[in-house]
């Protein structure tokens, strides 16, 4: 194995090569190596200039974040960079690929930076709830100004090489090999008689208090409920208020401290959980994914259209099938309209529309699916219809093709059994809008073969989505946990809680949107109809069960589309206004059913009832093996259901507040509500009583 970092002297130029595949992540050995090299070349009079670049496909794409959890091995990058910056020779850092976090901080300690034209540079620390810790908060404001630096820290998204040059973050943009470009730039410096130029010696123009206040507002909006933006502001402020060394010490305290905040623990948990989802016990490298270079979609409605777009966006050809030309025309018109919105927003060019539309071929004949690698069915939610379609697909599709359904509620085992190749049948549950939402539930039946699962995960990646495995179960992972959560929100409305209070409490907790407002947006009828279509899942002896939506539905108050629902809406506006008539009808119904309460319902009760009910269902999913790991559930909820990332997902959140607290809550609400709804999961009870956690349970499971 090669050294993670090495140096060679060429014609008076010390060329430092970082070589730590695959992404040149910073490691302890690399830090040690850089320090040694720095100390070796600093006093060497034969060395006139220094070039640092990375071998392989990218510059340093960040730190090895597993190091964040324990004590970081010495030397620390921040200290290594102090010496690196002090090199007496001019130091050129040549970037390519993706330079992130510590990678950019290393470049900032160089004296000159050049970037290959495809380079992307950024500080993703905020997405992990941490403050940069290798003096980026002191050097970046010195180099590009405090406002631009804060914007980069807040955004978390990388900028292009051209933007970096405009920002003053890099001195030049090149094409070609970073090593050669670095050496050429160093030669130019020497020829021009230019020497070391240290960022630490630059000065920062202070932001005004008004500018700081504006950043505070921006940070609160961009990262709702998080403390990290505030810490970033404090760190950047030190760049002009304190001399460099003291600023460095101040950043060190803030950055190290940020590793201990609840949001940083939660966000790092998600980082690892997202990497882990595709790891399915029993599925190995030997289960090679099948090639998917073409796809057939059945149904060109809301989901089918979105799914077709997701494939076209990933440059995969799609045949789109519907009952007749009229339905196809409607479907294609909607797809085009959606693409036109993207053009208006500057996210696509008109030429992109034509290219993507060109990848979607409409058809009414199953025979056109004879040579596609994968078919995804997205027709009405009707078992008989789906079985019929799968029989057709089984008839026409080539051997080795995958047959998938986008059903939300139906038993995919039964759908698979309608074919002669149940091993090739899988659920691919997209979320609306399917071309936008990141989550993809991959639903395995009792017979889905392993390579079909491997293919589904590979496909998710290709579509830039995150696939999470679920077993067949009513509602799979996401909707099954949404059910008790929404049930409690509706019941609270029936008990007399103002929808604004229910949604407000949930949004303050961090949910992207309160669930009653979600109902209004999606259509109050959607849930009512789903329950009507699935009577087995509606208890016959509980008249309060989802009664609130039924009350609105009976008035044809279907939400935004009718201007009235849990809220009232003015034409063309989505602003939620108080809907007095609905409040009155809900209160009457609550009284009639004997659940109306006098006095205010606290926000704490609202959040606990909704969220604890959701957590309890999550525990049942783990107990039943529907979800593989608590982390998988957390990924589903943060990537598909607007659960706040800063809380790490429902299961991680439960661990943080303590499973005994959750259990006590379930027992408390069982007394005032329907005890059946609050029956604690066996797993949750056992873990709570033994002082355990979902996290520890998952680790023990993985070790088995
Ligand atoms: N809407 C959502 O948010 C959502 C989310 C996830 C999954 N789903 C599931 O996706 C599926 C489709 O839902 P949708 O909201 O897109 O419905 P939709 O009503 O918008 O679209 C259904 C489409 O299927 C077509 N269709 C009906 N019968 C057909 C047949 N025999 N052959 C070919 N095409 C036929 C219809 O013409 C229509 O274009 C359902 O199974 C639903 O449960 C929906």
């Amino acid at each position: 194995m090669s050294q993670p970092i090495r140096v060679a002297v060429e014609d008076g130029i010390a060329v430092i090569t970082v070589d730590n595949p695959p992404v040149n992540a910073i490691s302890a050995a690399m830090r040690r190596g850089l320090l040694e090299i720095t100390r070796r070349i600093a006093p060497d009079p034969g060395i006139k200039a220094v070039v640092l670049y990375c071998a392989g496909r990218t510059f340093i794409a960040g730190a090895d974040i597993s190091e964040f959890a324990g004590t970081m091995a010495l030397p620390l990058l921040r200290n290594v960079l102090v010496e690196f910056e002090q090199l007496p020779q001019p130091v050129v850092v040549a970037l390519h690929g993706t330079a992130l976090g510590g990678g950019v901080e290393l470049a900032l300690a160089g004296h000159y930076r050049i970037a290959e034209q495809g380079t992307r540079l950024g500080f993703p620390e905020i997405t992990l709830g941490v403050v940069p810790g290798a003096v980026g908060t002191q050097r970046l404001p010195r180099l590009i100004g405090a406002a631009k630096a804060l914007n980069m820290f807040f955004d978390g998204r990388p900028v292009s090489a051209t933007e970096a040059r405009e920002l003053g973050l890099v001195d030049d943009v090149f094409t070609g090999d970073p090593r050669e470009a670095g050496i050429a730039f160093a030669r130019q410096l020497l020829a021009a008689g230019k020497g070391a130029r240290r960022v630490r010696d630059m000065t920062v123009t202070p932001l005004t208090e008004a500018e700081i206040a504006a950043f505070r507002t921006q940070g609160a909006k961009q990262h709702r409920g998080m403390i990290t933006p505030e810490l970033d502001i404090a760190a950047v402020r030190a760049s002009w208020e304190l001399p460099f060394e003291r600023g460095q010490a101040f950043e060190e305290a803030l950055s190290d401290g940020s590793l201990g905040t609840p949001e940083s623990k939660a966000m790092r948990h998600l980082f690892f959980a997202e990497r882990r989802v595709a790891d399915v016990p029993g599925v190995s490298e030997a289960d090679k994914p099948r090639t998917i270079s073409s796809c057939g979609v059945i149904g060109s409605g809301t989901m089918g259209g979105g799914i077709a777009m997701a494939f076209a966006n990933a440059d995969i050809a799609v045949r789109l099938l519907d009952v007749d030309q009229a339905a196809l025309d409607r479907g294609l018109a909607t797809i085009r309209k959606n693409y036109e919105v993207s053009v208006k927003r500057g996210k696509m060019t008109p030429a992109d529309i034509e290219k993507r539309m060109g990848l979607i071929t409409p058809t009414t004949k199953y025979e056109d699916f004879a040579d596609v690698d994968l078919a995804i069915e997205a027709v009405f939610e009707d078992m008989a219809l789906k079985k019929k379609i799968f029989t057709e697909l089984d008839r026409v599709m080539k051997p080795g093709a995958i047959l998938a359904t986008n059903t939300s509620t139906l038993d995919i085992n039964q759908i698979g059994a309608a074919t002669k190749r149940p091993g090739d049948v899988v659920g691919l549950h997209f979320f609306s809008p399917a071309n936008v939402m990141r989550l993809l539930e991959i639903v395995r039946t009792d017979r889905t073969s392993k390579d079909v699962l491997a293919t589904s995960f590979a496909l998710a990646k290709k579509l830039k989505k995150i696939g999470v495995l679920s077993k067949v179960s009513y509602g799979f992972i996401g909707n099954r946990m949404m059910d008790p959560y929404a049930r409690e929100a509706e019941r609270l409305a029936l008990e007399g809680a103002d929808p604004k209070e229910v949604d407000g409490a949930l949004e303050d907790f961090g949910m992207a949107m309160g669930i009653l407002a979600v109902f209004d947006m999606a259509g109050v009828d959607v849930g009512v109809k789903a329950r009507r279509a699935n009577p087995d899942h509606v208890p016959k002896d509980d008249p309060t069960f989802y009664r609130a939506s039924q009350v609105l539905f009976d008035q044809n108050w279907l939400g935004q589309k009718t201007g009235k629902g849990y809220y009232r809406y003015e034409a063309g506006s989505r602003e939620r206004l108080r809907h007095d008539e609905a409040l009155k009808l809900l209160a009457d119904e609550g009284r009639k059913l004997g659940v109306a309460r006098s006095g205010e319902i606290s926000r704490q009760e609202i959040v606990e009832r909704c969220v604890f009910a959701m957590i309890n269902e999550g525990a049942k999913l783990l107990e039943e093996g529907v979800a593989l790991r608590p982390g998988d559930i957390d990924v589903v909820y943060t990537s598909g259901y607007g659960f706040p990332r800063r809380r790490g997902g429902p299961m991680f959140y439960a661990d943080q507040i303590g499973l005994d607290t959750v259990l006590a809550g379930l027992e408390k609400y069982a007394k005032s509500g329907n005890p059946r709804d609050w029956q604690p999961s066996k797993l949750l009870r056992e873990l709570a009583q033994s002082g355990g956690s979902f996290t520890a349970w998952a680790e023990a499971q993985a070790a088995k």
Side-chain angles (χ1 to χ4, degrees):
M1 216 184 100
S2 65
Q3 294 283 341
I5 189 162
R6 56 183 184 269
V7 65
V9 181
E10 248 180 59
D11 216 4
I13 299 178
V15 181
I16 304 174
T17 308
V18 172
D19 190 3
N20 190 27
V23 294
N24 287 312
I26 295 167
S27 65
M30 193 195 289
R31 294 192 293 269
R32 233 176 3 253
L34 181 58
L35 191 61
E36 271 166 29
I37 291 170
T38 303
R39 288 179 178 169
R40 200 158 3 119
I41 59 183
D44 188 338
I47 292 173
K48 305 294 176 213
V50 179
V51 171
L52 184 146
Y53 80 102
C54 288
R57 62 181 154 94
T58 179
F59 195 76
I60 295 167
D64 173 0
I65 89 157
S66 57
E67 278 198 296
F68 287 11
T71 323
M72 188 93 68
L74 296 176
L76 299 179
L77 183 63
R78 58 172 77 105
N79 298 329
V80 174
L81 295 184
V82 169
E83 291 195 37
F84 183 65
E85 189 178 41
Q86 286 304 347
L87 278 167
Q89 305 92 342
V91 179
V92 179
V93 178
L95 303 136
H96 76 294
T98 314
L100 296 177
V104 183
E105 289 178 301
L106 188 152
L108 288 169
H111 304 159
Y112 300 88
R113 283 149 295 279
I114 60 172
E116 196 278 328
Q117 65 174 8
T119 312
R120 301 179 53 74
L121 303 87
F123 285 92
E125 281 82 350
I126 197 143
T127 63
L128 297 172
V130 298
V131 173
V135 206
T137 65
Q138 305 307 294
R139 288 200 180 93
L140 191 65
R142 280 176 164 79
L143 187 64
I144 69 172
K148 287 174 185 162
L150 265 177
N151 273 325
M152 276 194 85
F153 296 144
F154 278 14
D155 264 7
R157 270 193 311 269
V159 298
S160 69
T162 318
E163 287 169 280
R165 186 173 48 192
E166 280 161 17
L167 286 167
L169 176 50
V170 301
D171 299 287
D172 203 5
V173 175
F174 63 89
T175 52
D177 181 52
R179 186 176 189 280
E180 298 310 316
I183 294 173
F185 195 86
R187 291 225 164 91
Q188 280 173 28
L189 290 175
L190 293 175
K194 291 198 179 149
R197 184 194 62 175
R198 300 184 183 93
V199 173
R200 58 172 292 151
D201 299 331
M202 300 175 185
T203 49
V204 186
T205 307
L207 292 179
T208 63
E209 287 305 320
E211 285 168 326
I212 291 175
F215 270 110
R216 200 159 272 153
T217 311
Q218 181 187 328
K221 203 162 140 199
Q222 250 177 307
H223 304 283
R224 199 151 55 94
M226 281 176 62
I227 183 127
T228 313
E230 199 58 47
L231 302 179
D232 281 339
I233 292 175
V236 168
R237 194 176 190 132
S239 73
W240 69 80
E241 284 185 345
L242 300 176
F244 187 80
E245 279 81 12
R246 285 185 53 211
Q248 169 167 354
F250 189 70
E251 180 204 85
E252 182 175 329
L254 281 177
S255 177
D256 290 357
S258 72
L259 291 173
T261 63
E263 70 200 36
S264 131
K265 288 183 188 154
M267 292 166 111
R268 282 181 284 141
H269 154 73
L270 284 172
F271 178 90
F272 289 114
E274 286 181 1
R275 285 184 165 193
R276 192 119 187 253
V277 278
D279 174 7
V280 179
V283 177
S284 69
E285 298 268 308
D287 302 299
K288 293 254 174 294
R290 302 180 191 176
T291 305
I292 304 292
S293 48
S294 59
C295 171
V297 176
I298 306 106
S300 63
T302 310
M303 294 309 291
I307 294 169
M309 289 171 79
F311 278 84
N313 295 351
D315 222 13
I316 301 174
V318 189
R319 311 249 162 89
L320 183 60
L321 185 147
D322 212 307
V323 278
D324 52 27
Q325 195 56 43
L328 283 170
D329 289 345
R330 270 197 307 276
L332 288 171
T334 306
I335 294 176
R336 183 174 282 278
K337 212 174 79 207
N338 288 336
Y339 277 142
E340 278 163 1
V341 172
S342 298
V343 170
K344 261 193 210 130
R345 292 191 183 147
K347 291 188 177 158
M348 267 173 74
T349 65
D352 291 333
I353 301 191
E354 297 319 317
K355 181 170 170 255
R356 293 183 197 183
M357 292 303 293
L359 282 167
I360 305 174
T361 314
T363 179
T364 52
K365 289 200 284 300
Y366 280 93
E367 278 64 27
D368 286 338
F369 280 20
D371 59 350
V372 297
D373 299 319
L374 159 75
I376 304 177
E377 166 280 312
V379 302
F380 306 135
E381 192 74 332
D382 174 336
M383 182 58 100
L385 176 60
K386 297 209 186 226
K387 280 186 176 168
K388 201 175 117 220
I389 288 172
F390 272 73
T391 313
E392 275 297 280
L393 292 174
D394 195 16
R395 183 178 66 80
V396 300
M397 290 181 75
K398 65 183 178 189
I402 294 177
L403 283 59
T405 173
N406 184 48
T407 181
S408 300
T409 55
L410 301 175
D411 180 352
I412 308 178
N413 279 311
Q414 281 189 44
I415 297 176
T419 72
K420 294 189 200 72
R421 41 175 133 179
D424 294 337
V425 175
V426 68
L428 292 178
H429 188 224
F430 290 77
F431 290 76
S432 182
N435 53 315
V436 177
M437 294 293 288
R438 232 177 119 224
L439 178 63
L440 177 69
E441 282 180 325
I442 297 170
V443 189
R444 82 189 295 175
T445 70
D446 298 340
R447 302 181 63 181
T448 307
S449 60
K450 292 178 188 176
D451 65 332
V452 169
L453 295 181
T455 313
S456 303
F457 278 105
L459 177 71
K461 218 169 175 182
K462 208 161 171 184
L463 299 180
K464 296 208 169 70
K465 300 199 184 290
I466 183 151
V468 181
L469 190 68
S470 171
K471 272 196 190 159
V472 173
S473 157
Y474 182 71
F476 313 128
I477 297 175
N479 286 343
R480 207 177 122 179
M481 285 171 67
M482 187 41 70
D483 238 38
Y485 167 82
R487 175 197 74 211
E488 286 310 306
E490 286 211 17
R491 197 170 272 144
L492 283 156
L494 214 55
E495 289 170 22
D498 187 329
K500 191 168 152 242
E501 278 297 305
V502 176
D503 286 339
L506 295 173
E507 286 166 11
D508 280 353
F509 173 78
M511 298 302 293
M513 192 187 255
I515 184 68
L516 302 178
V518 170
F519 286 156
D520 268 7
M521 187 180 67
V524 171
D525 51 321
V526 174
V528 174
K529 285 180 184 157
R531 277 184 290 284
R532 205 175 271 169
N534 294 281
D536 293 351
H537 294 278
V538 178
K540 311 280 176 290
D541 56 351
D542 182 359
T544 67
F545 193 81
Y546 284 107
R547 186 68 206 153
S549 281
Q550 186 69 46
V551 167
L552 303 183
F553 179 84
D554 291 345
Q555 301 296 319
N556 201 37
W557 292 337
L558 307 184
Q560 289 184 11
K561 61 186 166 192
T562 57
K564 283 178 181 174
Y566 283 96
Y567 301 89
R568 192 170 56 75
Y569 304 87
E570 302 285 3
S573 160
R574 288 181 183 178
E575 192 192 343
R576 304 175 211 164
L577 304 170
R578 188 182 167 85
H579 186 193
D580 287 312
E581 288 174 289
L583 291 178
K584 183 175 176 310
L585 275 193
L586 289 171
D588 289 347
E589 189 72 11
R591 268 192 296 277
K592 206 165 79 194
L593 295 173
V595 295
R597 285 164 54 180
S598 57
E600 209 171 287
I601 300 176
S602 74
R603 288 197 153 201
Q604 183 185 350
E605 175 174 343
I606 293 169
V607 170
E608 285 184 353
R609 277 175 54 181
C610 294
V611 176
F612 288 5
M614 171 195 275
I615 293 167
N616 191 35
E617 197 66 29
K620 290 180 188 168
L621 290 174
L622 293 172
E623 197 177 291
E624 294 166 22
V626 172
L628 272 179
R629 292 169 282 254
D632 285 19
I633 296 178
D634 290 335
V635 172
V636 165
Y637 261 78
T638 49
S639 58
Y641 288 83
F643 197 95
R645 291 185 72 82
R646 70 180 156 95
R647 296 201 191 271
M651 309 318 275
F652 186 81
Y653 171 70
D655 278 352
Q656 298 310 297
I657 59 171
L659 298 188
D660 50 346
T661 307
V662 179
L663 181 63
L666 298 178
E667 285 165 348
K668 176 171 135 197
Y669 295 118
K671 286 189 195 122
S672 50
N674 184 339
R676 188 180 51 207
D677 291 343
W678 295 102
Q679 187 62 42
S681 110
K682 197 163 150 272
L683 175 68
L684 175 68
R685 184 188 289 283
E686 278 171 13
L687 292 176
Q689 287 172 346
S690 63
S693 67
F694 291 124
T695 309
W697 175 82
E699 278 162 16
Q701 293 289 109
K704 272 185 193 164

